[in-house]
Amino acid sequence: MTHRILILGGTTEARQLAGRLARRADFSVTLSLAGRTESPAAQGVPVRVGGFGGADGLAAYLHADKIDLLIDATHPYAARISANAAEAAKQAGVPILALRRPGWEPVDGDRWTLVDSVAEAARALGTAPRRVFLAIGRQEASAFEAAPQHRYLIRSVDPVEPKLAVPDAHYLLARGPFPEADERALLESHGIDAVVSKNSGGEATYGKIAAARAHGVEVVMVRRPVLPDVPSAETVDALAAKVDHLFAPVAERGV
Ligand code: NAP
């Protein structure tokens, strides 16, 4: 019997999980991407792209495609799709598991200013001109047009279009991982005195946080949104184990 699994992805872990589950002959795995990135990394399993049309649309898709398990492996700041996933799974009566990468915790030497939104981050930079490294992706970068006094270094996977209506912005196109040594060099060469970051967690983008700590640079950290409470695991391995358990023959499941 084939078990049909839909993974909501867009993250490195989603891709890893898909590859891992696809190795099992009795799993049919599809990965879903929002379609934000112009040339997403190769995913290694069948991919579908684009929104479903809210929770109702996703529930209809789960039903029509006879999905046996929905896995939410989206980015921790993609709160809408996670809420839709929880709601759709309930509506369609399909089990759901979430891959929830833990956030970073501040350690000695960190200078974090915690804010609840990107707009608040722009205000938290203050009125005096600063040299700011924006490492929050391109989707919400325009919020910093409200603080045009600063000089911005803006890094994203795809180009920020339109460019920000601020007098001094430098754009950098790059895809992680970003090692600490490179991030230190970047902060230094641009004379950065504030980093704006989301609390993505994981290793791939932690380099800027460690680099900021090493240089005594403030990090304006946008707090994570609240996500629905569904069964979850923190790592690809732990989630794959839950999936194996869910679909193990009854005799192997234990209690
Ligand atoms: P979102 O606000 O939660 O989702 C908005 C809509 O996009 C959803 O309602 C859904 O449309 C569609 N969607 C999202 N993920 C999808 C998926 N895997 N498959 C199919 N449709 C999907 O999420 P977002 O707009 O993608 O991102 C929100 C924030 O998260 C951004 O600020 C971004 O910075 C951050 N983010 C970062 C990364 C990253 O760094 N790797 C990746 C993703 C997001 P329908 O309602 O029509 O189904």
Side-chain angles (χ1 to χ4, degrees), residues 212-252:
R213 180 166 63 240
H215 287 292
V217 166
E218 179 188 4
V219 175
V220 178
M221 184 69 83
V222 182
R223 282 195 187 91
R224 288 181 165 209
V226 176
L227 298 177
D229 187 17
V230 299
S232 65
E234 293 189 347
T235 64
V236 169
D237 283 352
L239 194 73
K242 276 186 189 281
V243 177
D244 282 340
H245 186 255
L246 192 68
F247 292 124
V250 176
E252 285 177 23

Side-chain angles (χ1 to χ4, degrees), residues 18-155:
R20 168 93 178 250
L21 296 179
R23 280 193 238 137
R24 260 187 64 167
D26 57 336
F27 288 176
S28 163
V29 179
T30 302
L31 188 60
S32 173
L33 302 177
R36 308 261 180 269
T37 305
E38 282 161 17
S39 47
Q43 306 287 320
V45 298
V47 169
R48 63 155 305 284
V49 179
F52 296 93
D56 292 351
L58 179 52
Y61 180 100
L62 296 176
H63 187 71
D65 250 51
K66 300 187 168 52
I67 298 296
D68 299 304
L69 171 66
L70 177 62
I71 299 178
D72 174 13
T74 58
H75 192 265
Y77 287 76
R80 187 138 42 107
I81 187 70
S82 291
N84 289 350
E87 172 60 29
K90 202 157 93 188
Q91 268 187 38
V94 169
I96 179 171
L97 294 173
L99 183 52
R100 296 269 158 81
R101 184 203 294 170
W104 302 311
E105 297 291 338
V107 299
D108 269 359
D110 276 328
R111 293 179 52 213
W112 289 12
T113 300
L114 297 174
V115 295
D116 283 323
S117 67
V118 170
E120 198 187 329
R123 290 191 291 276
L125 292 170
T127 50
R130 301 176 74 178
R131 291 172 173 230
V132 180
F133 176 28
L134 283 191
I136 54 160
R138 65 172 174 163
Q139 286 189 58
E140 294 177 273
S142 63
F144 292 85
E145 291 178 344
Q149 70 275 29
H150 307 301
R151 163 186 276 202
Y152 292 103
L153 170 65
I154 303 170
R155 183 169 66 196

Side-chain angles (χ1 to χ4, degrees), residues 186 228 233:
L186 190 71

